[in-house]
Amino acid sequence: MSALLEAVRAGRTPEVVSLLDELTDAERRALFPELKALRKELRKAPWNASSRRAHPALYAAGVACQTGAAAVAGWIAAADMRWSQAAPALLLHILGDRDRAWLADLAHRLAQRPDSSMVPYELMAGLVRLSGCPVPTTDAYVRGWMAHIAGTGKSHGTVVGRLRQEPHLPELVAAMFETDDIGGLLEWLSGEGPHSWFGALSELTASGDLDRKVVVEACVARLLRGGSAADHRAFLKLLRALELTDAEERERTADWLALASDAVSPVAAHAQSVLASCALEGELTRRQLADMSAAVLFRTEKKLVRAQLVLLGKVLAKDPSAAAELLPAAAEAFGHPDPEVQERALKLVERHLPKTDSADVQAQLAPAAEQLIPTLRVRAARVLGIDPVAPGPVVHEEVLPPAPRPLRLEPAPRSAAELAEEVSALLAAGTDVAGFERALDGLVRHAHDRRDGLLEALAPVAGRRWWHPEGVRPDTYFARTRSLLDPAQAVDLLLATLLGRVGTGTLLAAVQQGTTTDGCVHSALCRAFGARLWEVAYRIRTEPLPFLLSTPTWSTGLLEPDELVDRLDAYRRIGARPAAADFAQALLRVRRSDRAAAAAAAGRAAALGTAEGERLARWLASDGSALPEFRRRVAGPRLLVDAGELPELREDFPAEFRPLGRPAGAVAAARYCHHWNDGIRPHWLALLPERRELVAVRMLWELSGAAVEDTRGVAAVLPRLAESGGEAGDSVHLCVAYGLGARHAEDRLAAVDALLTLAARGQLDAARLGADLGQLAGDGAVKPLRLADAARTAAATGANATVWEVLRHTLPQLLADRAADGAGTAPRGLADLLGVAAECAERSGARGQLPHLERTARRSGSSRLVAQARRLHSALTAGSAA
């Protein structure tokens, strides 16, 4: 071993540099193969103190012993070298005697690397200084420069002072405006106050260090270009910090018009305020104001639309002669989804239309008035002097999404290589029920028929798992934690078993003693899910199964009875012994709702002459629709369900499956548990694909947390719940109700999907769901404002009659909570909920009486609640469809 390599291994970097200084270029190149071999060795070595100590020295030696700029750049930016780099000053010392053109080439090659390569800015800047080359303006260089300026210590002065010392300031500032997604970094580095980046750039433009016109134009151009929300926030903040003069603002009228029309709300609001100032000072032509108004009033943001209507009112008050040009633009708001905005626009027309005697204006406004809600359309007809359209019968066609159809599972991968790819993808990113079951069946089949080829294909996959390195003891982990909380843990168990990292005793104990449980409401589901996996792992070690009996036919988890009979027949013919938990899971999955198919399969099963065949025949002969007795209960603001005992699941099933038939209630659900992984919930539904009520009652407490405790993500399972089989009873509808009132938009969207799926399948009990929502909203578990957003989203798909039918049973309870004398306080969002109900009633042609609505509609005043109550009352009694 050479002295240099010995010093590198020991991590003696100063000694390495000293030895390198004494070598010629040829001697350095001759040593490089040894350094490459050491690097390859360290890649495979555990990340311990010894390997960490060697990396900085190896990093420096590799830079010194290569002559090509591309090779050196590749070494510096390599993924395995970036975490233990040598200091940039040391590398500059090593490279300082190279040709200036070579250094410039290296600087630009490093700057072109992605920012994730973590090339030190100090190294790139040092190479630029040594070579005298033009400064790179790449993403990595600009981000590194910004972090360097902001990260320099206080002893080096303020941000503005450090920027003034930058020799390439104009080029780098210009490049900052051209760098994608830089706004987040600019905000993070900037802070507040006069010494922030925003304040510094503003001061530099004022002092002449930066060309003010160039900076202002670059900032406006960046806002026009669009980008991420962080970019918009940052560059809008910078634009405000620049404090444009009136003259500078007037020069860019076209830019403000474009931003007001198309930019994100905060930027559009700033542009709107600038244009409003111009308009009120007479520096905006009528045509420009009309074009701006038509564009802004087309937007959905109520704040922008209201501000524009206020601006039009002020301009028309100062210049009544402009009504002929501006009122047709104001009519753009007649089509706004918010009735209050429509009414504001109509009031503006009512106030200023008499100031013009042009019949052309009325002719332009008449078509736009057809977009108004019915009550406002009548007013508009009077103002415009046109005949109101007589109310007629509404022809409404309910639009619901097609009922989702389950997908048939593809056969397990035939080749070990393909199976290894699927297992790797499952472990990396998760998968659905179909993907998990295919991978599981594939592992079982290949372990039985082609074990050596399977182990070879799985070697790279297993090598990346947490339990693979020497010194890690997966057997101890799995023995201590028998509950398999997600599909990835289950696959890890099987892989570790195949590679001999889990002992047979651990597997046998899990099969005989069952999985550990904390007694929470999910434990019955988790135990049944885990029991099959532990049994499969044990049989892989002792008596491999030829294939699984319980692999579902469909993506929902359903198993066709004929397929299960065929599998039992194949077991009988080859003399294979079924696994108890696998067969139990197959029974729970087999379809019994098709009574004709079940009866035919029962006869075939009985003819097999095996114990499992007889058991399957008896199971298929029974109805399979029996559910336990359910009882509602109140727990604080929550409305919950308790499930009684189901004897059918307590008899002739393995011990780990019997808890599925035990009572389940809210008290157990309220206990803390560790089943927090969202990925396991669809697999619980696939456990009982024809009895989703048994799963829903055990998920109800955590789903209620989406509305009551503002938890995030738990409602993602609701579409799968709606697609599952069996009765959709109290538990399913309450789960959807809590999802519709969830805090987070993505959870509400999932609940809307579930609502529409139930409706499309003819399984939605709108009266039950509406009554539940009314009670939950009255008790404070569901906020009406959130429910209104979810209902509006569902109605926007065309399901107006469905949404109305739900709200028809929700609103009476909320309206009844208000005192008869008006002293009661309406919950926040009730007006929005009435507005959604009114729109649905108008579009679906609903008629009839709604309890307590008329009393609210007849109250005095013009509050939003009263206005929306009047609108709904009008729609139900004499309104027509929009």
Side-chain angles (χ1 to χ4, degrees):
M1 181 186 299
S2 66
L4 177 66
L5 195 62
E6 183 179 350
V8 169
R9 283 186 176 277
R12 300 193 293 269
T13 306
E15 182 181 342
V16 169
V17 175
S18 178
L19 292 170
L20 288 170
D21 287 341
E22 298 174 0
L23 299 177
T24 65
D25 289 345
E27 291 172 331
R28 291 181 182 180
R29 287 195 298 269
L31 287 171
F32 185 67
E34 295 184 21
L35 297 176
K36 284 181 64 178
L38 177 58
R39 177 185 177 184
K40 184 176 181 180
E41 177 186 329
L42 291 178
R43 282 176 181 167
K44 299 180 180 180
W47 188 246
N48 52 31
S50 175
S51 63
R52 288 198 302 270
R53 185 169 57 247
H55 265 90
L58 176 62
Y59 189 81
V63 169
C65 293
Q66 298 181 84
T67 55
V72 173
W75 184 275
I76 290 173
D80 60 325
M81 305 294 286
R82 67 184 56 154
W83 299 109
S84 293
Q85 300 174 347
L90 181 62
L91 297 182
L92 291 173
H93 167 77
I94 293 173
L95 298 172
D97 58 350
R98 303 283 180 105
D99 179 73
R100 294 181 66 183
W102 187 94
L103 293 174
D105 185 18
L106 177 60
H108 283 268
R109 287 180 181 276
L110 291 175
Q112 289 167 3
R113 294 279 177 166
D115 186 55
S116 58
S117 295
M118 299 173 62
V119 177
Y121 164 76
E122 293 80 1
L123 174 60
M124 293 186 289
L127 292 170
V128 170
R129 185 178 63 255
L130 289 173
S131 65
C133 67
V135 63
T137 54
T138 62
D139 183 275
Y141 195 93
V142 172
R143 290 176 182 275
W145 169 70
M146 292 176 65
H148 172 74
I149 293 293
T152 307
K154 293 183 178 180
S155 60
H156 292 79
T158 62
V159 170
V160 68
R162 295 193 288 274
L163 285 172
R164 280 200 173 101
Q165 297 172 8
E166 171 58 57
H168 305 288
L169 181 63
E171 298 96 319
L172 290 172
V173 169
M176 181 186 73
F177 286 104
E178 298 297 327
T179 303
D180 291 332
D181 297 323
I182 199 69
L185 179 63
L186 189 59
E187 285 186 306
W188 180 64
L189 296 175
S190 182
E192 300 293 339
H195 301 304
S196 67
W197 266 83
F198 302 119
L201 292 173
S202 176
E203 184 176 338
L204 291 171
T205 59
S207 64
D209 292 276
L210 290 172
D211 188 317
R212 179 176 176 83
K213 185 175 182 179
V214 170
V215 173
V216 171
E217 288 181 351
C219 193
V220 174
R222 183 56 189 262
L223 292 173
L224 284 168
R225 192 177 95 187
S228 65
D231 282 353
H232 285 114
R233 285 195 307 268
F235 290 106
L236 178 59
K237 191 172 183 179
L238 176 58
L239 184 65
R240 287 173 172 157
L242 291 171
E243 297 180 344
L244 272 62
T245 65
D246 290 345
E248 288 174 324
E249 289 180 339
R250 302 306 183 262
E251 290 175 2
R252 296 169 175 82
T253 299
D255 294 333
W256 306 131
L257 288 170
L259 291 172
S261 302
D262 299 321
V264 296
S265 291
V267 178
H270 177 78
Q272 184 185 43
S273 67
V274 174
L275 291 171
S277 176
C278 295
L280 294 174
E281 293 176 10
E283 298 182 13
L284 206 63
T285 67
R286 293 177 181 178
R287 185 71 263 155
Q288 286 176 323
L289 180 57
D291 291 342
M292 169 200 176
S293 299
V296 173
L297 295 177
F298 185 73
R299 300 179 66 122
T300 58
E301 301 96 324
K302 289 187 286 187
K303 185 176 180 180
L304 290 175
V305 172
R306 288 170 181 169
Q308 193 66 25
L309 291 173
V310 170
L311 172 62
L312 288 174
K314 291 180 179 179
V315 172
L316 289 171
K318 292 179 65 176
D319 183 12
S321 64
E325 292 184 71
L326 297 184
L327 289 183
E332 187 70 43
F334 286 177
H336 196 277
D338 186 354
E340 291 185 20
V341 171
Q342 294 184 16
E343 187 170 15
R344 283 172 180 259
L346 181 57
K347 286 181 178 179
L348 185 69
V349 171
E350 290 172 335
R351 188 180 307 118
H352 295 285
L353 185 61
K355 300 175 183 178
T356 175
D357 56 1
S358 173
D360 290 340
V361 176
Q362 293 182 352
Q364 293 179 59
L365 293 174
E370 296 178 2
Q371 304 176 77
L372 294 167
I373 62 174
T375 53
L376 296 180
R377 200 181 309 147
V378 174
R379 283 173 52 184
R382 290 197 299 265
V383 173
L384 299 176
I386 59 178
D387 294 331
V389 179
V394 176
V395 178
H396 172 70
E397 182 178 352
E398 187 76 350
V399 179
L400 292 171
R405 302 178 65 180
L407 300 176
R408 181 177 283 273
L409 261 69
E410 296 291 334
R414 311 200 89 179
S415 72
E418 183 184 356
L419 175 62
E421 289 181 4
E422 293 198 12
V423 169
S424 179
L426 187 158
L427 292 171
T431 188
D432 55 10
V433 170
F436 173 74
E437 292 292 343
R438 285 185 70 245
L440 179 61
D441 190 42
L443 288 172
V444 169
R445 290 176 182 271
H446 283 268
H448 180 271
D449 299 331
R450 300 172 287 275
R451 190 184 190 96
D452 291 341
L454 175 64
L455 293 177
E456 182 180 354
L458 289 175
V461 179
R464 295 190 294 268
R465 303 307 296 163
W466 62 268
W467 46 265
H468 188 268
E470 294 296 332
V472 178
R473 302 178 64 185
D475 185 79
T476 303
Y477 168 80
F478 284 115
R480 185 177 64 250
T481 310
R482 292 181 190 163
S483 293
L484 301 176
L485 305 180
D486 60 66
Q489 278 189 334
V491 174
D492 271 326
L493 171 64
L494 297 183
L495 293 183
T497 300
L498 282 166
L499 270 67
R501 301 298 302 278
V502 180
T504 305
T506 298
L507 300 172
L508 179 60
V511 172
Q512 291 181 338
Q513 301 170 17
T515 59
T516 57
T517 177
D518 53 11
C520 74
V521 74
H522 309 109
S523 62
L525 300 167
C526 192
R527 289 174 65 178
F529 174 79
R532 180 174 65 130
L533 276 303
W534 278 104
E535 184 183 59
V536 167
Y538 177 68
R539 290 292 296 268
I540 284 176
R541 176 64 52 79
T542 58
E543 186 184 353
L545 297 167
F547 52 83
L548 291 177
L549 295 172
S550 59
T551 300
T553 307
W554 303 101
S555 55
T556 58
L558 266 179
L559 172 58
E560 292 298 336
D562 279 338
E563 284 194 35
L564 181 54
V565 175
D566 290 342
R567 292 172 188 174
L568 285 175
D569 188 30
Y571 264 62
R572 179 188 61 80
R573 284 187 280 103
I574 64 177
R577 181 173 64 89
D582 182 41
F583 181 59
Q585 175 64 95
L587 291 178
L588 294 178
R589 283 179 169 169
V590 71
R591 184 197 295 273
R592 293 192 286 174
S593 56
D594 186 340
R595 297 307 305 149
R604 290 183 57 212
L608 294 177
T610 63
E612 288 77 18
E614 292 291 339
R615 175 76 175 96
L616 175 59
R618 294 195 304 272
W619 182 257
L620 291 174
S622 61
D623 187 349
S625 61
L627 289 173
E629 180 181 351
F630 292 104
R631 182 174 60 88
R632 291 189 170 212
R633 62 180 300 173
V634 175
R638 286 175 164 91
L639 180 60
L640 300 170
V641 175
D642 289 345
E645 187 174 72
L646 186 60
E648 185 182 41
L649 298 184
R650 302 293 307 277
E651 303 167 356
D652 296 331
F653 273 93
E656 291 295 274
F657 285 78
R658 292 173 192 166
L660 292 171
R662 292 176 186 167
V667 175
R671 297 175 185 166
Y672 171 80
C673 75
H674 54 275
H675 303 116
W676 50 265
N677 190 300
D678 295 340
I680 192 64
R681 296 187 184 101
H683 297 270
W684 290 342
L685 288 167
L687 186 73
L688 295 159
E690 284 195 318
R691 298 190 188 186
R692 57 182 161 190
E693 276 288 304
L694 294 180
V695 182
V697 74
R698 290 173 166 87
M699 297 193 298
L700 185 55
W701 178 271
E702 59 187 329
L703 280 165
S704 70
V708 178
E709 298 167 353
D710 295 350
T711 52
R712 189 177 213 136
V714 294
V717 73
L718 287 176
R720 305 286 82 76
L721 180 64
E723 293 171 17
S724 192
E727 179 183 341
D730 279 355
S731 300
V732 170
H733 281 78
L734 276 174
C735 285
V736 175
Y738 284 119
L740 292 172
R743 162 66 177 82
H744 299 284
E746 62 268 30
D747 288 319
R748 294 197 296 273
L749 187 59
V752 169
D753 285 345
L755 169 71
L756 297 176
T757 297
L758 289 173
R761 299 181 69 187
Q763 298 170 341
L764 177 67
D765 188 336
R768 174 187 298 183
L769 178 61
D772 288 344
L773 286 168
Q775 181 176 344
L776 292 171
D779 293 341
V782 167
K783 294 179 172 55
L785 190 62
R786 299 175 183 174
L787 176 58
D789 177 75
R792 187 179 298 110
T793 301
T797 67
N800 293 284
T802 299
V803 175
W804 163 246
E805 191 62 24
V806 173
L807 295 182
R808 184 169 72 86
H809 295 86
T810 302
L811 289 169
Q813 299 185 59
L814 297 177
L815 295 171
D817 289 341
R818 305 198 67 208
D821 59 359
T825 301
R828 182 170 177 261
L830 179 55
D832 298 85
L833 202 56
L834 283 167
V836 177
E839 183 171 353
C840 290
E842 291 164 354
R843 294 185 180 278
S844 64
R847 297 292 185 269
Q849 295 294 323
L850 193 68
H852 312 293
L853 175 64
E854 185 175 1
R855 185 181 62 189
T856 304
R858 289 184 175 179
R859 294 189 187 280
S860 60
S862 58
S863 68
R864 290 185 65 239
L865 178 67
V866 173
Q868 296 295 351
R870 290 171 182 167
R871 177 190 173 193
L872 177 57
H873 184 262
S874 175
L876 293 176
T877 54
S880 61

